[in-house]
Amino acid sequence: MAVTVSLVLLFGLVLFFLLRSNSLSAGAAFIAVMFGFFLASTGAAQPITNMTTAVVQAIPNP
């Protein structure tokens, strides 16, 4: 768990700086995928899923 959280923080920090510097490339896409992969294995996965579901359900269907 501690290693996973460290990797999430590392990949999140790198992704933040890549997005801020507008250097979106294949490397940035890899960082984004790895960030999502490691974030999904933390305790934050279920609250993020619940929040996303709530937002989608709050949008009215036309």
Side-chain angles (χ1 to χ4, degrees):
M1 175 76 178
V3 173
T4 303
V5 173
S6 299
L7 288 174
V8 167
L9 293 175
L10 175 69
F11 284 122
L13 187 64
V14 171
L15 182 61
F16 172 77
F17 285 115
L18 286 173
L19 291 173
R20 187 167 176 161
S21 67
N22 291 330
S23 61
L24 299 174
S25 62
F30 174 75
I31 295 296
V33 168
M34 294 306 293
F35 175 71
F37 176 76
F38 284 108
L39 183 63
S41 64
T42 65
Q46 188 62 37
I48 291 171
T49 302
N50 293 342
M51 181 182 67
T52 305
T53 302
V55 168
V56 168
Q57 289 177 352
I59 299 172
N61 291 330

